[in-house]
Amino acid sequence: RNGDGVLFGGPGGSGKSTTALKCLEAGFEYMADDYVGLKAMPDGTFVGHSLFCSTHLTPEHLKRFPFLEPHAIPGRLLREDKSLVMLSQVLPGGLSRKARIRAVALPRVVGAASPRIREASKVESLLRLAPSSLLMLPYAGMAAREFEKLSRFLQSVPTYWLELGGNMDEIPLRIAEILDRHS
């Protein structure tokens, strides 16, 4: 939102895509699904860079976003249960190439009536982000160096649990709340 961003992290099925797409529907800009490049700036802040302006959704998840259904490209392999949606073709005006990362939100489905935020410790955040971020690196030797960078990043930004519940339309309100605190 206005050049400021919240990085969503966690394992598959935790609500990252839902959170990002609900924010996009609410007028926020969208950077990426699954992969964001981070650049450390000289002042100690971090800028996130869009790598792919797409999303991957299972058929049942896609039904939650009817405006995306006509643009879904089903996977070609038997093991692919998700469809690809090239958001750059659907909503080119809603995409962002980069943003100052003001906070990290760790979505998780808890079954509450409405989404809520609460502070996450740096250790909780590192444990939540490291497996899905560092294990995806192509070279085993990179993980140790990148673990240190990830730790430094998490020390520099506020971290929150984003507890998701039944009312998905309130997700953007919680993200706006985080941005209002730290922009």
Side-chain angles (χ1 to χ4, degrees):
R1 181 181 77 176
N2 301 322
D4 292 327
V6 175
L7 180 75
F8 306 131
S14 62
K16 298 181 305 290
S17 295
T18 297
T19 299
L21 291 170
K22 291 310 277 185
C23 288
L24 176 63
E25 279 184 327
F28 288 71
E29 294 172 61
Y30 182 96
M31 282 184 43
D33 191 2
D34 289 331
Y35 297 100
V36 172
L38 288 176
K39 180 179 180 181
M41 303 305 289
D43 65 358
T45 62
F46 285 79
V47 173
H49 293 271
S50 175
L51 300 178
F52 307 103
C53 289
S54 62
T55 189
H56 287 90
L57 301 171
T58 61
E60 57 275 0
H61 200 163
L62 193 55
K63 289 178 185 170
R64 294 180 185 170
F65 301 96
F67 72 102
L68 296 178
E69 283 186 283
H71 307 282
I73 304 165
R76 292 188 216 161
L77 303 174
L78 289 176
R79 68 179 186 273
E80 286 183 283
D81 63 338
K82 294 184 175 184
S83 292
L84 172 69
V85 179
M86 300 302 296
L87 294 171
S88 57
Q89 296 172 358
V90 179
L91 297 164
L95 304 177
S96 176
R97 290 189 167 161
K98 66 180 182 175
R100 290 176 302 275
I101 304 301
R102 297 299 190 180
V104 169
L106 308 168
R108 64 179 177 181
V109 179
V110 298
S114 295
R116 57 185 178 239
I117 58 171
R118 65 178 182 84
E119 288 186 23
S121 74
K122 301 303 181 180
V123 171
E124 289 173 318
S125 302
L126 187 59
L127 290 173
R128 188 76 167 184
L129 281 173
S132 60
S133 301
L134 301 179
L135 294 179
M136 303 301 270
L137 295 173
Y139 307 105
M142 293 177 72
R145 268 192 332 265
E146 299 308 314
F147 186 84
E148 182 182 323
K149 290 179 185 177
L150 181 60
S151 297
R152 197 168 50 245
F153 164 66
L154 291 171
Q155 289 299 322
S156 74
V157 295
T159 56
Y160 294 91
W161 287 108
L162 174 62
E163 298 176 336
L164 302 174
N167 189 348
M168 294 190 311
D169 292 333
E170 291 184 16
I171 292 171
L173 298 174
R174 299 296 80 78
I175 301 305
E177 187 179 332
I178 291 171
L179 285 170
D180 290 345
R181 289 181 187 182
H182 303 291
S183 292

